[in-house]
Amino acid sequence: MASHPGPTHHGTGHSHGPVCVGQIVPEFVAHLQRRESRLGGALNVSEAVREMKVKSIDKFTFLDDSATVKVYIELDGPLQNVSSNDVEAEFSERSLLVTLTTPDCIFKFHVDRLTHSVDPLRCKATVTKSRKLLLKLFKQNHMSNWTRLRAAA
């Protein structure tokens, strides 16, 4: 197995990097167009752009529950059909990024500075039976008091 060939592999840039909310990723649109043409189908550019629309999730609730902090995101409206397979979560000691993929859009919930440190190896994301995305953050210090999810600027 060889190492990744670097940014030149992706043509105009490194498409595995962060994507800003609302950003259209041209490399992905071009990839979709090439794939569809090889399969004999035609992909409308506006369809590819629609598929790459990235939206931010801003509505959530959270609960400081002793040794954990629980974050709840309602899975309604455009998120109503999201399943566990559509969820990708990345945790670090002081940040988190959750990506929910639907057929029409990519939704991101990003906290770049958590109020306190968490144990990223124990944190997890699950879809509950009551149609909520539950992010369970395990505190590094169970005595820390979380009055807010995001650290003050």
Coordinates of all heavy atoms in Angstrom, one line a residue, residues 63-146:
L63 N -27.4 18.6 28.1 CA -27.6 18.3 29.5 C -26.3 17.9 30.1 O -25.7 17.0 29.7 CB -28.7 17.2 29.6 CG -28.9 16.6 31.0 CD1 -29.5 17.6 32.0 CD2 -29.7 15.3 30.9
D64 N -25.9 18.6 31.2 CA -24.8 18.2 32.0 C -25.3 17.1 33.0 O -26.1 17.3 33.9 CB -24.2 19.4 32.8 CG -23.0 19.0 33.6 OD1 -22.7 17.8 33.9 OD2 -22.2 20.0 33.9
D65 N -24.9 15.9 32.7 CA -25.4 14.7 33.4 C -24.3 14.0 34.2 O -23.9 12.9 33.9 CB -26.0 13.7 32.4 CG -26.9 12.7 33.0 OD1 -27.3 12.8 34.2 OD2 -27.1 11.7 32.4
S66 N -23.7 14.7 35.2 CA -22.7 14.1 36.0 C -21.4 13.9 35.3 O -20.6 14.8 35.0 CB -23.2 12.9 36.8 OG -22.2 12.5 37.7
A67 N -21.1 12.6 34.9 CA -19.9 12.3 34.2 C -19.9 12.5 32.7 O -18.9 12.3 32.0 CB -19.5 10.8 34.5
T68 N -21.1 12.8 32.2 CA -21.3 13.0 30.7 C -22.0 14.3 30.4 O -22.7 14.8 31.3 CB -22.0 11.8 30.1 OG1 -23.3 11.8 30.6 CG2 -21.3 10.5 30.2
V69 N -21.9 14.7 29.2 CA -22.7 15.8 28.7 C -23.4 15.2 27.5 O -22.8 14.6 26.6 CB -21.8 17.0 28.2 CG1 -22.7 18.0 27.5 CG2 -21.1 17.6 29.4
K70 N -24.8 15.4 27.5 CA -25.6 14.8 26.4 C -26.1 16.0 25.6 O -26.7 16.9 26.1 CB -26.7 14.0 27.0 CG -26.3 12.8 27.8 CD -27.4 12.0 28.4 CE -26.9 10.8 29.2 NZ -28.0 10.2 29.9
V71 N -25.8 15.8 24.3 CA -26.3 16.8 23.3 C -27.4 16.2 22.4 O -27.2 15.0 21.9 CB -25.1 17.3 22.4 CG1 -25.6 18.3 21.4 CG2 -24.0 17.8 23.2
Y72 N -28.5 16.8 22.3 CA -29.6 16.3 21.6 C -29.9 17.2 20.3 O -30.0 18.4 20.5 CB -30.9 16.2 22.4 CG -30.8 15.4 23.6 CD1 -30.4 15.9 24.9 CD2 -31.1 14.0 23.5 CE1 -30.3 15.1 26.0 CE2 -31.0 13.2 24.7 CZ -30.6 13.7 25.9 OH -30.5 12.9 27.0
I73 N -30.0 16.5 19.2 CA -30.4 17.2 17.9 C -31.7 16.5 17.4 O -31.6 15.3 17.2 CB -29.3 17.2 16.9 CG1 -28.0 17.9 17.5 CG2 -29.7 17.7 15.6 CD1 -26.8 17.7 16.6
E74 N -32.7 17.3 17.2 CA -34.0 16.7 16.7 C -33.8 16.3 15.3 O -33.3 17.1 14.5 CB -35.1 17.8 16.8 CG -35.5 18.2 18.2 CD -36.4 17.2 18.9 OE1 -37.0 16.3 18.2 OE2 -36.4 17.2 20.2
L75 N -34.3 15.1 14.9 CA -34.2 14.6 13.6 C -35.6 14.8 12.9 O -36.3 13.8 12.7 CB -33.7 13.2 13.5 CG -32.3 13.0 14.1 CD1 -31.9 11.5 14.0 CD2 -31.3 13.8 13.3
D76 N -35.9 16.0 12.6 CA -37.2 16.3 11.9 C -37.0 17.1 10.7 O -35.8 17.4 10.4 CB -38.1 17.0 12.9 CG -37.6 18.2 13.5 OD1 -36.5 18.7 13.1 OD2 -38.2 18.8 14.4
G77 N -38.0 17.3 10.0 CA -37.9 18.1 8.7 C -37.0 17.4 7.7 O -37.2 16.2 7.5
P78 N -36.0 18.0 7.2 CA -35.1 17.4 6.2 C -34.2 16.3 6.8 O -33.6 15.5 6.1 CB -34.2 18.5 5.7 CG -34.3 19.6 6.7 CD -35.6 19.4 7.4
L79 N -34.2 16.2 8.1 CA -33.4 15.1 8.8 C -34.3 13.9 9.3 O -33.8 13.0 9.9 CB -32.7 15.7 10.0 CG -31.7 16.8 9.8 CD1 -31.2 17.4 11.0 CD2 -30.6 16.3 8.9
Q80 N -35.5 13.9 8.9 CA -36.4 12.9 9.4 C -36.1 11.5 9.1 O -36.4 10.6 9.8 CB -37.9 13.3 9.0 CG -38.2 13.1 7.6 CD -39.6 13.6 7.2 OE1 -40.3 13.9 8.1 NE2 -39.9 13.6 5.9
N81 N -35.4 11.3 8.0 CA -35.1 9.9 7.5 C -33.6 9.5 7.8 O -33.2 8.5 7.3 CB -35.4 9.7 6.0 CG -36.9 9.9 5.7 OD1 -37.7 9.4 6.5 ND2 -37.2 10.6 4.7
V82 N -32.9 10.3 8.6 CA -31.5 10.0 8.9 C -31.5 8.8 9.8 O -32.2 8.7 10.8 CB -30.9 11.2 9.6 CG1 -29.5 10.9 10.2 CG2 -30.7 12.4 8.6
S83 N -30.6 7.9 9.5 CA -30.3 6.7 10.3 C -28.9 6.7 10.8 O -28.1 7.6 10.4 CB -30.6 5.4 9.5 OG -29.5 5.3 8.5
S84 N -28.5 5.8 11.7 CA -27.2 5.7 12.2 C -26.1 5.6 11.1 O -25.0 6.1 11.2 CB -27.0 4.5 13.1 OG -27.8 4.7 14.2
N85 N -26.5 5.0 10.0 CA -25.6 4.9 8.8 C -25.3 6.2 8.2 O -24.3 6.3 7.4 CB -26.2 3.9 7.8 CG -26.3 2.5 8.3 OD1 -25.5 2.1 9.2 ND2 -27.2 1.7 7.7
D86 N -26.1 7.2 8.4 CA -26.0 8.5 7.8 C -25.2 9.5 8.6 O -25.0 10.6 8.3 CB -27.3 9.1 7.5 CG -28.2 8.3 6.6 OD1 -27.6 7.7 5.6 OD2 -29.4 8.2 6.9
V87 N -24.7 9.0 9.8 CA -24.1 9.8 10.8 C -22.6 9.5 10.9 O -22.2 8.3 11.0 CB -24.7 9.7 12.2 CG1 -24.0 10.5 13.2 CG2 -26.2 10.0 12.2
E88 N -21.8 10.5 10.8 CA -20.3 10.4 11.0 C -19.9 11.4 12.1 O -20.3 12.6 11.9 CB -19.6 10.7 9.7 CG -18.1 10.5 9.8 CD -17.4 10.7 8.5 OE1 -17.9 10.4 7.5 OE2 -16.2 11.3 8.6
A89 N -19.3 11.0 13.1 CA -18.9 11.8 14.2 C -17.4 11.8 14.5 O -16.8 10.7 14.5 CB -19.7 11.5 15.5
E90 N -16.8 12.9 14.7 CA -15.4 13.0 15.0 C -15.3 13.8 16.3 O -15.8 15.0 16.4 CB -14.6 13.8 13.9 CG -14.7 13.1 12.5 CD -14.1 13.9 11.4 OE1 -13.1 14.6 11.7 OE2 -14.6 13.8 10.3
F91 N -14.6 13.3 17.3 CA -14.4 13.9 18.6 C -13.0 14.1 18.9 O -12.1 13.3 18.5 CB -15.0 13.0 19.7 CG -16.5 12.7 19.5 CD1 -16.9 11.5 18.9 CD2 -17.5 13.6 19.9 CE1 -18.2 11.2 18.8 CE2 -18.8 13.3 19.7 CZ -19.2 12.1 19.2
S92 N -12.6 15.3 19.5 CA -11.3 15.5 20.0 C -11.5 16.0 21.4 O -12.6 16.1 21.9 CB -10.5 16.5 19.2 OG -11.0 17.8 19.3
E93 N -10.4 16.3 22.1 CA -10.6 16.7 23.5 C -11.4 18.0 23.7 O -12.1 18.1 24.7 CB -9.2 16.9 24.2 CG -8.5 15.6 24.5 CD -7.2 15.9 25.3 OE1 -7.0 17.0 25.9 OE2 -6.4 14.9 25.4
R94 N -11.3 18.9 22.8 CA -12.0 20.2 22.9 C -12.9 20.5 21.7 O -13.3 21.7 21.6 CB -11.0 21.3 23.2 CG -10.2 21.2 24.5 CD -11.1 21.3 25.7 NE -11.8 22.6 25.9 CZ -11.4 23.6 26.6 NH1 -10.3 23.5 27.3 NH2 -12.2 24.7 26.7
S95 N -13.2 19.6 20.8 CA -14.0 19.9 19.7 C -14.8 18.7 19.2 O -14.5 17.6 19.6 CB -13.2 20.5 18.6 OG -12.4 19.6 18.0
L96 N -15.8 19.0 18.4 CA -16.5 17.9 17.8 C -17.1 18.3 16.4 O -17.3 19.5 16.2 CB -17.6 17.3 18.7 CG -18.8 18.2 19.0 CD1 -19.9 18.2 18.0 CD2 -19.4 17.9 20.3
L97 N -17.2 17.3 15.5 CA -17.8 17.6 14.2 C -18.7 16.4 13.9 O -18.2 15.2 13.9 CB -16.7 17.7 13.1 CG -17.2 17.8 11.7 CD1 -18.1 19.0 11.5 CD2 -16.1 17.8 10.7
V98 N -19.9 16.6 13.7 CA -20.9 15.6 13.3 C -21.4 15.9 11.9 O -21.9 17.1 11.7 CB -22.0 15.4 14.3 CG1 -23.0 14.4 13.9 CG2 -21.5 15.2 15.7
T99 N -21.4 14.9 11.0 CA -21.9 15.1 9.7 C -23.1 14.2 9.5 O -23.0 13.0 9.7 CB -20.8 14.8 8.7 OG1 -19.7 15.6 8.9 CG2 -21.3 15.1 7.2
L100 N -24.2 14.7 9.0 CA -25.4 13.9 8.7 C -25.6 14.1 7.2 O -25.7 15.2 6.7 CB -26.6 14.5 9.4 CG -26.5 14.6 10.9 CD1 -27.7 15.3 11.5 CD2 -26.3 13.2 11.6
T101 N -25.6 12.9 6.5 CA -25.8 13.0 5.0 C -27.2 12.5 4.6 O -27.6 11.4 5.0 CB -24.7 12.0 4.4 OG1 -23.4 12.4 4.9 CG2 -24.8 12.1 2.9
T102 N -27.8 13.4 3.9 CA -29.1 13.0 3.3 C -29.0 13.0 1.8 O -28.0 13.5 1.3 CB -30.2 14.1 3.7 OG1 -29.9 15.3 3.1 CG2 -30.3 14.2 5.3
P103 N -30.0 12.5 1.1 CA -29.9 12.5 -0.4 C -29.7 13.9 -1.0 O -29.1 14.1 -2.1 CB -31.2 11.9 -0.9 CG -31.6 11.1 0.3 CD -31.2 11.8 1.5
D104 N -30.3 14.9 -0.3 CA -30.2 16.3 -0.9 C -29.2 17.2 -0.3 O -28.9 18.2 -0.9 CB -31.6 17.0 -0.7 CG -32.7 16.2 -1.4 OD1 -32.4 15.7 -2.5 OD2 -33.8 16.2 -0.9
C105 N -28.7 16.9 0.8 CA -27.8 17.9 1.5 C -26.9 17.2 2.5 O -27.2 16.1 3.0 CB -28.7 18.9 2.2 SG -27.9 20.3 2.8
I106 N -25.9 17.9 2.9 CA -25.0 17.4 4.0 C -25.2 18.4 5.1 O -25.0 19.7 4.9 CB -23.5 17.4 3.6 CG1 -23.3 16.4 2.4 CG2 -22.6 17.1 4.7 CD1 -22.0 16.4 1.8
F107 N -25.5 18.0 6.3 CA -25.7 18.8 7.5 C -24.5 18.6 8.4 O -24.1 17.4 8.7 CB -27.0 18.4 8.2 CG -28.2 18.7 7.4 CD1 -28.7 17.8 6.4 CD2 -28.9 20.0 7.5 CE1 -29.9 18.1 5.7 CE2 -30.0 20.3 6.8 CZ -30.5 19.3 5.9
K108 N -24.0 19.7 9.0 CA -22.9 19.6 9.9 C -23.2 20.3 11.2 O -23.8 21.4 11.2 CB -21.6 20.2 9.2 CG -21.1 19.4 8.1 CD -19.8 19.9 7.6 CE -19.3 19.1 6.5 NZ -18.5 17.9 6.9
F109 N -22.8 19.6 12.3 CA -22.9 20.2 13.6 C -21.4 20.3 14.1 O -20.8 19.3 14.3 CB -23.7 19.4 14.6 CG -23.8 19.9 16.0 CD1 -24.5 21.1 16.2 CD2 -23.2 19.3 17.0 CE1 -24.6 21.6 17.5 CE2 -23.3 19.8 18.3 CZ -24.0 20.9 18.5
H110 N -20.9 21.5 14.3 CA -19.5 21.7 14.6 C -19.4 22.6 15.8 O -19.9 23.6 15.9 CB -18.8 22.3 13.4 CG -17.3 22.4 13.7 ND1 -16.6 23.6 13.5 CD2 -16.4 21.5 14.0 CE1 -15.4 23.5 13.8 NE2 -15.2 22.2 14.1
V111 N -18.6 22.1 16.8 CA -18.2 22.9 18.0 C -16.7 22.9 18.0 O -16.1 21.9 18.2 CB -18.8 22.3 19.3 CG1 -18.4 23.2 20.5 CG2 -20.3 22.1 19.2
D112 N -16.2 24.1 17.7 CA -14.7 24.2 17.6 C -14.0 24.4 18.9 O -12.8 24.0 19.0 CB -14.3 25.3 16.6 CG -14.8 26.7 17.0 OD1 -15.7 26.7 17.9 OD2 -14.4 27.7 16.4
R113 N -14.7 24.8 19.9 CA -14.1 24.9 21.3 C -15.2 24.5 22.3 O -16.0 25.3 22.7 CB -13.7 26.3 21.5 CG -12.3 26.6 20.9 CD -11.7 28.0 21.3 NE -11.5 28.0 22.7 CZ -11.6 29.1 23.5 NH1 -12.0 30.2 22.9 NH2 -11.4 29.0 24.8
L114 N -15.1 23.3 22.8 CA -16.0 22.9 23.9 C -15.6 23.6 25.2 O -14.5 24.0 25.4 CB -15.9 21.3 24.1 CG -16.4 20.5 23.0 CD1 -15.9 19.0 23.2 CD2 -17.9 20.5 23.0
T115 N -16.6 23.7 26.1 CA -16.3 24.4 27.3 C -15.2 23.8 28.2 O -14.4 24.4 28.7 CB -17.7 24.5 28.1 OG1 -18.6 25.2 27.4 CG2 -17.4 25.2 29.5
H116 N -15.2 22.4 28.2 CA -14.2 21.7 29.0 C -13.8 20.5 28.1 O -14.4 20.2 27.1 CB -14.8 21.2 30.3 CG -15.3 22.2 31.2 ND1 -14.4 23.1 31.9 CD2 -16.5 22.7 31.5 CE1 -15.1 23.9 32.6 NE2 -16.4 23.7 32.4
S117 N -12.8 19.8 28.6 CA -12.2 18.7 27.8 C -13.1 17.4 28.0 O -13.7 17.2 29.1 CB -10.8 18.3 28.3 OG -9.9 19.4 28.1
V118 N -13.1 16.6 26.9 CA -13.8 15.3 27.0 C -12.8 14.2 26.6 O -11.7 14.5 26.1 CB -15.0 15.3 26.0 CG1 -16.1 16.4 26.4 CG2 -14.6 15.5 24.5
D119 N -13.2 13.0 26.8 CA -12.5 11.8 26.4 C -12.9 11.4 25.1 O -14.0 10.7 24.9 CB -12.7 10.7 27.5 CG -11.9 9.4 27.1 OD1 -11.3 9.4 26.0 OD2 -11.8 8.5 28.0
P120 N -12.2 11.7 24.0 CA -12.7 11.5 22.6 C -12.9 10.0 22.3 O -13.8 9.7 21.5 CB -11.7 12.1 21.7 CG -10.5 12.3 22.6 CD -10.9 12.4 24.0
L121 N -12.1 9.2 22.9 CA -12.3 7.7 22.6 C -13.5 7.1 23.2 O -14.0 6.1 22.7 CB -11.0 7.0 23.2 CG -9.7 7.4 22.6 CD1 -8.6 6.6 23.2 CD2 -9.7 7.2 21.1
R122 N -14.1 7.7 24.2 CA -15.4 7.2 24.7 C -16.6 7.9 24.2 O -17.7 7.4 24.4 CB -15.3 7.3 26.3 CG -14.2 6.5 26.9 CD -14.1 6.6 28.4 NE -15.4 6.2 29.0 CZ -15.8 6.7 30.2 NH1 -15.1 7.5 30.9 NH2 -16.9 6.2 30.7
C123 N -16.5 9.0 23.6 CA -17.6 9.8 23.1 C -18.3 9.0 21.9 O -17.6 8.3 21.2 CB -17.2 11.2 22.6 SG -16.6 12.2 23.9
K124 N -19.6 9.2 21.8 CA -20.3 8.5 20.7 C -21.5 9.2 20.3 O -22.1 10.1 21.0 CB -20.6 7.1 21.1 CG -21.5 7.0 22.3 CD -21.7 5.5 22.7 CE -22.5 5.4 24.0 NZ -22.7 4.0 24.4
A125 N -22.0 8.9 19.1 CA -23.2 9.5 18.5 C -24.2 8.3 18.2 O -23.8 7.3 17.6 CB -22.9 10.2 17.2
T126 N -25.4 8.5 18.6 CA -26.4 7.4 18.3 C -27.8 8.1 17.9 O -28.1 9.2 18.4 CB -26.7 6.5 19.5 OG1 -27.0 7.3 20.6 CG2 -25.5 5.7 19.8
V127 N -28.5 7.4 17.1 CA -29.9 7.8 16.7 C -30.8 7.1 17.7 O -30.8 5.9 17.7 CB -30.2 7.6 15.3 CG1 -31.7 7.9 15.0 CG2 -29.3 8.3 14.4
T128 N -31.6 7.9 18.4 CA -32.5 7.2 19.4 C -33.9 6.9 18.7 O -34.2 7.3 17.6 CB -32.8 8.2 20.6 OG1 -33.6 9.3 20.0 CG2 -31.6 8.7 21.2
K129 N -34.6 6.0 19.4 CA -35.9 5.6 18.9 C -36.9 6.8 18.8 O -37.8 6.8 18.1 CB -36.5 4.5 19.8 CG -35.8 3.2 19.7 CD -36.4 2.2 20.6 CE -35.6 0.9 20.5 NZ -36.1 -0.1 21.4
S130 N -36.7 7.8 19.7 CA -37.5 9.0 19.7 C -37.1 10.0 18.6 O -37.5 11.2 18.7 CB -37.6 9.7 21.0 OG -36.2 10.0 21.4
R131 N -36.3 9.6 17.6 CA -35.8 10.4 16.5 C -35.0 11.6 16.9 O -35.3 12.8 16.5 CB -37.0 10.8 15.6 CG -37.8 9.7 15.0 CD -37.1 8.8 14.2 NE -36.4 9.4 13.1 CZ -35.2 9.1 12.6 NH1 -34.6 8.0 13.1 NH2 -34.6 9.7 11.6
K132 N -34.0 11.4 17.7 CA -33.1 12.4 18.1 C -31.7 11.8 17.9 O -31.5 10.6 18.0 CB -33.2 12.8 19.6 CG -34.5 13.5 19.9 CD -34.5 13.9 21.3 CE -35.8 14.7 21.6 NZ -36.7 14.2 22.5
L133 N -30.8 12.7 17.5 CA -29.4 12.3 17.5 C -28.8 12.7 18.9 O -28.9 13.8 19.3 CB -28.6 13.1 16.4 CG -27.1 12.9 16.4 CD1 -26.8 11.4 16.0 CD2 -26.4 13.8 15.4
L134 N -28.3 11.7 19.5 CA -27.7 11.8 20.9 C -26.2 11.8 20.8 O -25.6 10.8 20.3 CB -28.2 10.8 21.8 CG -27.5 10.6 23.2 CD1 -27.6 11.9 24.0 CD2 -28.0 9.4 24.0
L135 N -25.5 12.9 21.2 CA -24.1 12.9 21.3 C -23.8 12.8 22.8 O -24.2 13.6 23.6 CB -23.5 14.2 20.7 CG -23.9 14.6 19.3 CD1 -23.3 15.9 19.0 CD2 -23.5 13.5 18.3
K136 N -23.1 11.7 23.1 CA -22.7 11.5 24.5 C -21.2 11.8 24.7 O -20.4 11.1 24.1 CB -23.0 10.0 24.9 CG -23.1 9.8 26.4 CD -23.7 8.4 26.6 CE -23.9 8.2 28.1 NZ -24.4 6.9 28.4
L137 N -21.0 12.9 25.4 CA -19.6 13.4 25.6 C -19.2 13.0 27.0 O -19.8 13.4 28.0 CB -19.5 14.9 25.4 CG -20.2 15.4 24.2 CD1 -20.1 17.0 24.2 CD2 -19.5 14.9 22.9
F138 N -18.1 12.2 27.1 CA -17.6 11.8 28.4 C -16.6 12.8 28.9 O -15.5 13.0 28.3 CB -17.0 10.4 28.3 CG -18.0 9.3 28.2 CD1 -18.5 9.0 26.9 CD2 -18.5 8.6 29.3 CE1 -19.5 8.0 26.8 CE2 -19.4 7.6 29.2 CZ -19.9 7.3 27.9
K139 N -16.9 13.4 30.0 CA -16.0 14.4 30.6 C -14.7 13.8 31.0 O -14.6 12.7 31.6 CB -16.6 15.1 31.8 CG -18.0 15.8 31.6 CD -18.5 16.3 32.9 CE -19.8 16.9 32.8 NZ -20.3 17.4 34.2
Q140 N -13.6 14.6 30.8 CA -12.3 14.2 31.4 C -12.3 14.4 32.9 O -11.7 13.6 33.7 CB -11.1 14.9 30.7 CG -10.8 14.3 29.4 CD -9.5 14.8 28.8 OE1 -8.9 15.7 29.4 NE2 -9.1 14.2 27.8
N141 N -12.9 15.5 33.3 CA -13.1 15.8 34.8 C -14.6 15.8 35.1 O -15.3 16.7 34.8 CB -12.4 17.1 35.1 CG -12.6 17.5 36.5 OD1 -13.2 16.8 37.3 ND2 -12.1 18.7 36.9
H142 N -15.0 14.7 35.7 CA -16.5 14.6 36.0 C -17.0 15.7 36.9 O -18.2 15.9 37.1 CB -16.8 13.2 36.5 CG -16.4 13.0 37.9 ND1 -15.1 12.6 38.2 CD2 -17.1 13.1 39.1 CE1 -15.0 12.4 39.5 NE2 -16.2 12.7 40.1
M143 N -16.1 16.4 37.6 CA -16.5 17.5 38.5 C -16.7 18.8 37.7 O -17.3 19.8 38.3 CB -15.5 17.7 39.6 CG -15.3 16.5 40.5 SD -16.7 16.1 41.4 CE -16.9 17.4 42.5
S144 N -16.3 18.9 36.5 CA -16.5 20.1 35.7 C -18.0 20.4 35.5 O -18.7 19.5 35.2 CB -15.7 20.1 34.4 OG -16.2 19.0 33.6
N145 N -18.3 21.7 35.6 CA -19.7 22.1 35.4 C -19.9 22.7 34.1 O -19.3 23.7 33.8 CB -20.1 23.1 36.6 CG -21.5 23.5 36.5 OD1 -22.4 22.7 36.0 ND2 -21.9 24.6 37.1
W146 N -20.8 22.2 33.3 CA -21.0 22.7 31.9 C -22.3 23.5 31.9 O -23.4 23.0 31.9 CB -21.2 21.5 30.9 CG -19.9 20.8 30.6 CD1 -19.1 20.2 31.6 CD2 -19.3 20.5 29.4 NE1 -18.1 19.5 30.9 CE2 -18.2 19.7 29.6 CE3 -19.7 20.8 28.1 CZ2 -17.4 19.3 28.6 CZ3 -18.9 20.4 27.0 CH2 -17.7 19.7 27.3

